[in-house]
Amino acid sequence: MTEMSLSTVMEFLEERYPLRLAEEWDNVGLLIGDPEQSVERIMTCLTITPLICREAIEEKADLIISHHPFPFHAIKRLTTETVRGRMIWDIVTEKIAVYSPHTAHDSAPDGINQQIAKRLGLQQITTLYEDKNEKAVSNEGTGRFGMLPEPILFGELLEKTQEAFNQQVIPYIGDPEKSVRTVAVGCGSAGSFLEQAILRGADAFLLGESKYHTFLEAQFNGIGLIVTGHYISERFAMERMAELIQTKFSDLTVWASEVETDPIKYLI
Ligand SMILES: [Zn+2]
């Protein structure tokens, strides 16, 4: 078994999900750990929770790649008296590193939004905010915007979403009988992208999570809104990331957390 350093894995992640693509407010990259430490077992997950923390410790992970940053907010006191403090304490005590790509992963050329756009079968995919940086590669940046191969009914796009994400409950706003062609995409809590989706003339906007007023804003503007659920819109990409790392570093053991599930349950 060849010894692999954390920094080697970090180089691979940086290549695929360049941290310069992260939003300014974000907290990305190596958040806990020593780049020189050796890594044999890597677990990916969407969010570090007490349950996931336990899995990492029991399964002897050396590195957790958590899409959502952990920690995210500044910390002034690190004790075991709070749930978060306890998790960080346990992770550090067990010498487990934590790396979070977050919005760099959302925006990367092969990132989450690109993957969602492909899943919907969109063509001529560009970033949603293409004017942000003229020199940017068209598939590198915030959100995605693309065209369906041919106009379909909004109701068909809803069904397509249901199928693509294997999710029965899909909250939406819009007329199922209306024809749609252009679609904007934003994983997670992407409600703030709605304005840009309208500016780009999108017929529909698919996002992970939406506030009530964002639904209304979409209705006022006659744009269809499709909400997959935050977890559903992002977790699949952490499973894919685990596969990619495993393929690249065959000596390592890499898996996507097996205990992680959508924390939100639906009574149907
Ligand atoms: Zn998210």
Side-chain angles (χ1 to χ4, degrees):
M1 173 116 191
T2 23
E3 189 116 311
M4 182 76 64
S5 75
L6 173 55
S7 59
T8 307
V9 179
M10 283 166 58
E11 273 168 36
F12 173 72
L13 294 170
E14 169 66 24
E15 220 171 84
R16 287 201 79 98
Y17 320 107
L19 296 179
R20 66 185 158 77
L21 297 177
E23 301 294 330
E24 263 169 45
W25 50 262
D26 211 353
N27 187 38
V28 293
L30 185 65
L31 302 181
I32 297 175
D34 171 3
E36 301 311 317
Q37 75 189 83
S38 70
V39 167
E40 281 179 27
R41 296 174 64 79
I42 302 176
M43 183 177 87
T44 69
C45 65
L46 190 58
T47 318
I48 296 182
T49 64
L51 200 64
I52 301 244
C53 203
R54 201 185 316 146
E55 180 185 8
I57 293 168
E58 280 172 8
E59 297 298 325
K60 302 196 181 323
D62 304 302
L63 166 65
I64 304 173
I65 302 173
S66 168
H67 177 71
H68 294 136
F70 183 80
F72 181 72
H73 296 291
I75 297 164
K76 281 196 170 179
R77 186 186 300 259
L78 184 52
T79 73
T80 56
E81 290 161 321
T82 62
V83 177
R84 276 200 175 71
R86 164 58 73 185
M87 287 195 280
I88 297 172
W89 184 266
D90 288 347
I91 283 171
V92 173
T93 307
E94 298 288 335
K95 292 190 163 61
I96 300 172
V98 175
Y99 186 101
S100 295
H102 202 207
T103 50
H105 185 201
D106 295 346
S107 300
D110 186 36
I112 303 184
N113 285 319
Q114 184 78 18
Q115 291 172 51
I116 293 176
K118 281 188 184 165
R119 239 178 219 225
L120 293 175
L122 300 186
Q123 298 175 342
Q124 299 170 47
I125 303 167
T126 63
T127 60
L128 184 58
Y129 292 82
E130 65 177 359
D131 54 352
K132 198 174 170 188
N133 176 358
E134 282 173 25
K135 284 184 188 147
V137 182
S138 67
N139 63 352
E140 182 180 284
T142 309
R144 289 298 182 271
F145 179 85
M147 310 259 292
L148 290 160
E150 54 188 31
I152 58 172
L153 294 179
F154 181 58
E156 290 175 307
L157 182 60
L158 287 169
E159 280 168 17
K160 207 178 174 66
T161 306
Q162 233 178 358
E163 213 173 284
F165 291 90
N166 194 21
Q167 172 80 332
Q168 283 308 304
V169 183
I170 305 273
Y172 73 94
I173 282 276
D175 177 2
E177 297 302 320
K178 197 178 158 187
S179 166
V180 291
R181 181 90 198 257
T182 48
V183 182
V185 169
C187 64
S189 306
S192 62
F193 297 1
L194 176 63
E195 205 182 329
Q196 180 67 9
I198 294 166
L199 276 175
R200 292 290 298 274
D203 299 320
F205 173 35
L206 179 145
L207 73 170
E209 179 178 347
S210 172
K211 289 179 183 165
Y212 171 75
H213 288 285
T214 307
F215 275 104
L216 280 182
E217 201 56 37
Q219 192 178 46
F220 293 168
N221 286 280
I223 180 173
L225 201 75
I226 307 175
V227 182
T228 62
H230 195 131
Y231 179 88
I232 295 285
S233 74
E234 297 179 335
R235 158 76 194 194
F236 75 91
M238 298 316 291
E239 290 165 21
R240 185 163 179 271
M241 189 187 289
E243 286 166 18
L244 289 171
I245 299 170
Q246 184 68 82
T247 306
K248 169 77 180 176
F249 304 108
S250 53
D251 282 351
L252 303 181
T253 302
V254 191
W255 74 99
S257 165
E258 283 168 11
V259 301
E260 183 165 57
T261 54
D262 192 341
I264 302 170
K265 303 296 174 208
Y266 300 91
L267 180 67
I268 301 171

